[in-house]
Amino acid sequence: MTATAHAPTPTHPGTPVLHPHGLPRPGQTLVMGVVNVTPDSFSDGGLSFAADAAVAHGLALLEQGADIVDVGGESTRPGAARPPIEEELRRVLPVVRELAATGAIVSVDTMRAEVAARALEAGARMVNDVSGGLADPAMLPLMARAGTPYVVMHWRGHSAGMQANALYDEIVSDVLDELRSRIEAALEAGVPPGCLIVDPGLGFAKAPEHNWELLGRLGEVSALGRPVLVGASRKSFLGRLLADRATGQPRPARQRDAATAAVSVLAAAQGVWCLRVHDVVSTLDAVRVTARWGVEAASARSPLR
């Protein structure tokens, strides 16, 4: 294993092996709560679009136990149009500033270097870039200078046309190769190795079967030697799995939290570093159950038992 991040020896199945510099190390998978400051979020329809509503939502997620809150001002649902940079700044900066002022660990979800820079100045402590540095050539140099945790996600284009790029020879191998390329680009730009986090990009230029295969092989994503962030929450592949048997209509987004929690158990059991979710309570419960099960599983295998 390369010395790219804090790397304790796992004590039981499901213990995250890698931790980014400067972020919590609670001994179990972290939970990142989503704060969408957009008018067209697929998951909530814009309920937190106003800054005061977004701040209140972020505070509620923290009260529920979120380790990190992720503030984003650009919808990345399939087909979404990009807002002007001025609008994205207007949406996210007040929310980042208010939440960071409480001492919370705030992540900014953006593909734009200027938004990332301004959010870091406002108190954000990490950047979650769904493009992995591909959308803005200024992003990797910025992260090299900032030296803060940086999420590199697998990405094949902006939301308006990304699903046309869901073509793979072998989904897991292709995603891993493309993530390796982005890791190398980040390192060459000077991003500190211990700051890099990877995300397989569930739902981004992925068909439902691609998402399921990636979830079943998260251990191979972890083998890249970086902490792994997983964002499956309320996504359409869960809605399709849970479609109404009579009509075939997918389960609505806000009714997918139980399925999200089930995915959280499976991902946490594979030792992912963090889960990005809309419903913190059910996911935190799932993580705690997984951690406790891991202790018992390790004990059962112990020769001293």
Side-chain angles (χ1 to χ4, degrees):
M1 178 182 297
T2 56
T4 56
H6 297 296
T9 301
T11 56
H12 56 74
T15 301
V17 176
L18 297 167
H19 302 266
H21 291 308
L23 294 178
R25 301 176 64 187
Q28 65 184 32
T29 297
L30 273 65
V31 176
M32 173 187 283
V34 178
V35 181
N36 287 318
V37 197
T38 59
D40 57 349
S41 166
F42 84 93
S43 67
D44 61 23
L47 292 178
S48 299
F49 182 44
D52 56 351
V55 170
H57 181 57
L59 292 174
L61 295 177
L62 291 165
E63 180 67 23
Q64 292 164 10
D67 299 290
I68 303 167
V69 286
D70 192 41
V71 179
E74 176 178 352
S75 175
T76 53
R77 62 175 175 78
R82 304 198 74 190
I85 189 169
E86 297 80 8
E87 174 63 12
E88 187 180 353
L89 287 165
R90 186 194 68 78
R91 293 175 183 179
V92 302
L93 290 183
V95 180
V96 168
R97 189 175 294 111
E98 289 293 323
L99 292 175
T102 70
I105 298 173
V106 179
S107 165
V108 62
D109 179 357
T110 185
M111 292 179 273
R112 289 170 163 145
E114 182 177 347
V115 176
R118 296 279 297 278
L120 291 170
E121 291 171 0
R125 290 172 56 182
M126 66 178 286
V127 174
N128 181 12
D129 177 2
V130 300
S131 81
L134 287 169
D136 186 341
M139 182 66 86
L140 295 183
L142 167 69
M143 297 314 302
R145 296 191 300 272
T148 55
Y150 175 57
V151 179
V152 174
M153 197 192 80
H154 178 263
W155 184 83
R156 283 188 165 186
H158 290 290
S159 297
M162 66 179 176
Q163 290 310 104
N165 297 320
L167 302 171
Y168 300 90
D169 292 328
E170 201 287 317
I171 177 63
V172 176
S173 296
D174 290 353
V175 167
L176 293 178
D177 286 345
E178 291 169 37
L179 280 174
R180 286 189 193 96
S181 175
R182 301 316 303 154
I183 291 169
E184 291 170 4
L187 294 174
E188 289 173 3
V191 178
C195 292
L196 286 172
I197 301 158
V198 296
D199 181 338
L202 301 178
F204 288 79
K206 313 285 191 307
E209 60 269 22
H210 297 147
N211 298 314
W212 289 114
E213 190 159 358
L214 283 164
L215 282 170
R217 296 168 62 183
L218 285 174
E220 295 177 50
V221 182
S222 296
L224 292 171
R226 314 288 160 178
V228 176
L229 173 67
V230 170
S233 183
R234 296 182 179 174
K235 289 191 172 175
S236 61
F237 74 99
L238 297 177
R240 292 183 185 183
L241 177 72
L242 305 173
D244 185 276
R245 293 185 179 181
T247 67
Q249 288 296 311
R251 178 83 58 86
R254 290 176 65 83
Q255 297 176 27
R256 300 171 190 167
D257 288 335
T260 299
V263 172
S264 297
V265 169
L266 299 173
Q270 295 181 75
V272 303
W273 165 70
C274 188
L275 296 160
R276 183 182 183 275
V277 298
H278 299 87
D279 185 72
V280 164
V281 173
S282 61
T283 296
L284 189 57
D285 287 351
V287 165
R288 288 173 172 166
V289 167
T290 307
R292 188 68 182 86
W293 166 82
V295 171
E296 291 303 313
S299 176
R301 293 195 308 271
S302 172
L304 301 178
R305 184 176 175 87

